[in-house]
Amino acid sequence: MTTPNHYILTWQCPDNTGVLAKVSQSLFEHGAFITETSQYSDPYTETFFSRIAFDDRNLTVSANEFIEAVDELAKPLNMDYKLRNKTDVPNVVIAVSKDDHCLVSLLTKWKSGVLPINIVAVISNHQDCQPLAKWHGVPFHHLPITKDTKAEQEAEILSLMKECDADLLVLARYMQILSDDLCRQLAGRAINIHHSFLPSFKGARPYHQAHKRGVKVIGATAHYVTANLDEGPIIAQEVKPINHTFTIEQMVHMGHDLEATALSHAVRIHAEQRVCLNGDKTVILA
């Protein structure tokens, strides 16, 4: 018995009566066997979002003919969509500086098969993480940066991503601010992680600032990169309560755990095509 191929179709369009029925009917007519579906209608943006997983066990047309049928369906619905074979996982480049806790989590989960991605390169403005990348068999690229060489270094990042056919850049505690131009070029294709405190503590030593103010919760936020620093559409968040007995060191260690967890989760659901951009927000199709 032939093992069926599995596909993922994620789409969004202006919300109108019958849009889901039209897409479902087209899938049915071409023999797509639906295995999973999720949808959301946003009353504020009047946009419909959907993710449909299916296999080709009963498909009546070739894969190319099916793609043509979806493309024809998309035009009158003004539908943006992404359709891919589930095994065609995205190629990912990871950027890191000195702290390796997020990189360790991503590499470990990738190697164990938890993350449906292909890590094709690790880049860094330092060399601290080179042994870790080498141990996992991932090419490491040392791209030092200064204020005067920022444009050239970012051009190297883009060139490397193109060379590796990378779909996503993950900033795993990469302690450099991307230029507005690079943010625009990687819109929706770059994910960052940062701590989450209330009140907000920006700049150096945020955990020391939080300890001084007696915060009662530690968190981490993974989001898409935009020109507005740490204000991109949120993908995933993790949080844990703390109290006055926590030392700065304990807060840092817990924060690192939360950062690694939130970033890995964000990368996974992005790779599974569960995240849809909705203006300044995201829709997560679980």
Side-chain angles (χ1 to χ4, degrees), residues 13-269:
C13 68
D15 198 3
N16 285 299
T17 302
V19 291
L20 180 59
K22 291 175 182 177
V23 175
S24 299
Q25 181 62 28
S26 179
L27 292 176
F28 171 74
E29 290 175 352
H30 293 91
F33 192 97
I34 295 175
T35 57
E36 182 184 344
T37 181
S38 177
Q39 53 273 330
Y40 172 67
S41 174
D42 188 340
Y44 300 101
T45 61
E46 297 182 338
T47 305
F48 189 85
F49 303 86
S50 180
R51 178 185 184 275
I52 301 175
F54 63 93
D55 64 47
D56 63 359
R57 72 184 78 174
N58 298 324
L59 209 63
T60 58
V61 295
S62 68
N64 288 336
E65 289 174 318
F66 185 82
I67 293 173
E68 291 176 2
V70 174
D71 197 49
E72 285 300 313
L73 176 68
K75 294 174 182 177
L77 296 178
N78 194 21
M79 182 174 91
D80 292 325
Y81 74 91
K82 182 177 182 181
L83 171 65
R84 68 170 175 87
N85 190 306
K86 189 176 180 180
T87 60
D88 295 335
V89 298
N91 290 333
V92 174
V93 170
I94 300 176
V96 64
S97 289
K98 292 186 176 182
D99 289 335
D100 64 4
H101 54 285
C102 288
L103 177 62
V104 168
S105 177
L106 292 168
L107 289 170
T108 302
K109 292 180 183 297
W110 165 58
K111 281 289 188 179
S112 65
V114 174
L115 286 179
I117 61 175
N118 182 31
I119 298 178
V120 294
V122 172
I123 63 175
S124 180
N125 54 322
H126 299 280
Q127 294 181 303
D128 301 60
C129 294
Q130 184 171 8
L132 179 61
K134 183 178 180 180
W135 191 83
H136 282 86
V138 178
F140 180 88
H141 302 267
H142 180 218
L143 302 180
I145 183 173
T146 67
K147 182 176 65 175
D148 297 327
T149 63
K150 186 180 183 68
E152 291 81 359
Q153 194 255 17
E154 290 191 342
E156 288 186 77
I157 293 176
L158 286 175
S159 177
L160 178 64
M161 290 186 67
K162 184 176 181 180
E163 179 184 330
C164 296
D165 194 25
D167 307 283
L168 181 69
L169 175 67
V170 177
L171 307 182
R173 296 296 290 167
Y174 180 64
M175 307 306 290
Q176 294 291 323
I177 298 174
L178 303 187
S179 68
D180 291 358
D181 180 61
L182 185 58
C183 289
R184 283 190 291 269
Q185 293 191 62
L186 294 178
R189 299 194 299 125
I191 296 176
N192 193 18
I193 184 71
H194 75 276
H195 63 80
S196 301
F197 292 123
L198 289 175
S200 174
F201 301 112
K202 296 183 178 181
R205 299 163 68 88
Y207 289 96
H208 291 71
Q209 297 177 59
H211 183 268
K212 185 177 181 179
R213 291 291 298 275
V215 300
K216 298 299 183 281
V217 66
I218 285 180
T221 296
H223 60 92
Y224 286 115
V225 174
T226 63
N228 295 322
L229 182 63
D230 292 340
E231 294 183 13
I234 294 170
I235 306 170
Q237 293 180 294
E238 295 286 335
V239 66
K240 282 190 177 181
I242 62 171
N243 58 41
H244 60 278
T245 67
F246 277 65
T247 66
I248 294 174
E249 291 74 18
Q250 288 174 317
M251 291 172 63
V252 170
H253 293 157
M254 181 178 285
H256 284 183
D257 288 343
L258 294 172
E259 289 166 5
T261 299
L263 184 59
S264 294
H265 179 56
V267 171
R268 179 180 63 80
I269 60 177

